[in-house]
Amino acid sequence: MSTHCVSIIAKPKTRVTKNPFLVSSPLLFFSNKTKTKTSILRVFSSMSYDKELAAAKKAACLAARLCQKVQKAILQSDVQSKSDKSPVTVADYGSQALVSYALQRELPSELFSLVAEEDSEDLRKDGAQETLERITKLVNVILASDGSDSDFTLSTEDVVKAIDCGKSEGGSQGRHWVLDPIDGTKGFLRGDQYAIALALLDEGKVVLGVLACPNLPLTSISGGSQHSLPGEVGCLFFSVVGGGTYMQPLDSSSAVKVQVSATDNPEEASFFESFEAAHSMHDLSSSIAKKLGVKAPPVRIDSQAKYGALSRGDGVIYLRFPHKGYREKIWDHAAGYIVVAEAGGVVSDAAGNPLDFSKGRYLDLDTGIIVTNQKLMPSLLKAVRESIEEKASSL
């Protein structure tokens, strides 16, 4: 399968001769294979991703605006929020179409690669035309409100093409955007946490990440509440390799630099885990917390909003242990990974291996994902290993 899609953006008459997505690989600077990972990362950190970051932030904010509009309609209808999945379908596809279109508009290029969760297969089926028209109308409403494309309207076919740009397989060569258009769909339906998660891979490395968390309070949720007073929610986290992590309100450009918690005492550490028990083994997390001496109960939140909250020190540990047979997708972690890493945190699998986003659409992991600060990682890894061994021996 091709890793690029045909752009739906009208090209200027003067042909682009140099594709920004086809820059020389930083890794080509190293003919000696013994060069260290530090050397490679130094080259990435010396590169500028300013244009890409600006485009990613704009795309994520547009998608967040669409999702907020749909979620507001869901919460006004109890029937829809309980049984009708069509609203989240509209938001999921609409978010992906908007991000795909906005990135291509902001970064005009002949080649565009996006690894994303959705494709348009279901929208092309008989009976889906009404849903597709709803998505298209909503996307155009959001674009019109943005003001930058007031004289241009996307057709249903444009929207389908934008969605299908997400079929890329990713990999270790070139640049690939990675998107989860709505991470945490169950939280979205409940009116709780969800995120628009967008990252950029360059030669298999995550070099940029943006997390739009429309329902995450601007103040700490360390007390265990993911709710806040009206007007005090909506966070945008963003990171570029070597540049740190920043947070700003979704409706403002006033950003502050954030850091993970420096806590080195496990008894003082709170931990995050998935809200849904189906997404992570809560019993294993509980065993690990007990071994560490963690006293606070877990804070259970949907989506990669956990990564954002942890990056600013709301919690100290994030544990995710999917049930056997589940394969983690790169869009579920890429943006969150760099947001935490650039805030001073450490993200690894259960064996302490760094996450490898260069293998395509899936992450090959040992058991699960653990996140904390550098001080606590050694003791956390020990507790994880012991708990996993005990669980295996009891089966």
Side-chain angles (χ1 to χ4, degrees), residues 54-72 87-103 105-106 114 116 118 135 138-146 148 163 178-183 188 194-199 210-215 234-236 250-251:
K57 288 171 65 177
K58 184 163 189 175
C61 285
L62 285 172
R65 203 178 301 167
L66 180 146
C67 292
Q68 287 172 308
K69 191 176 183 70
V70 176
Q71 191 183 59
K72 182 179 180 181
V88 75
T89 299
V90 169
D92 226 0
Y93 283 123
S95 174
Q96 183 158 317
L98 264 178
V99 170
S100 175
Y101 173 75
L103 288 176
R105 181 187 66 185
E106 299 297 318
L114 176 67
E118 306 300 339
I135 295 165
L138 191 55
V139 166
N140 281 317
V141 165
I142 299 301
L143 288 174
S145 70
D146 177 51
S148 54
I163 292 167
V178 179
L179 170 69
D180 193 335
I182 297 183
D183 186 36
F188 178 82
Y194 67 98
I196 295 91
L198 179 63
V210 174
L211 280 178
C213 307
N215 288 344
C235 302
L236 184 74
L250 267 176
D251 58 358

Side-chain angles (χ1 to χ4, degrees), residues 161-180:
K161 287 179 180 177
I163 292 167
D164 280 342
C165 280
K167 289 182 177 181
S168 170
E169 293 297 319
S172 61
Q173 297 182 345
R175 290 187 178 187
H176 307 279
W177 291 96
V178 179
L179 170 69
D180 193 335

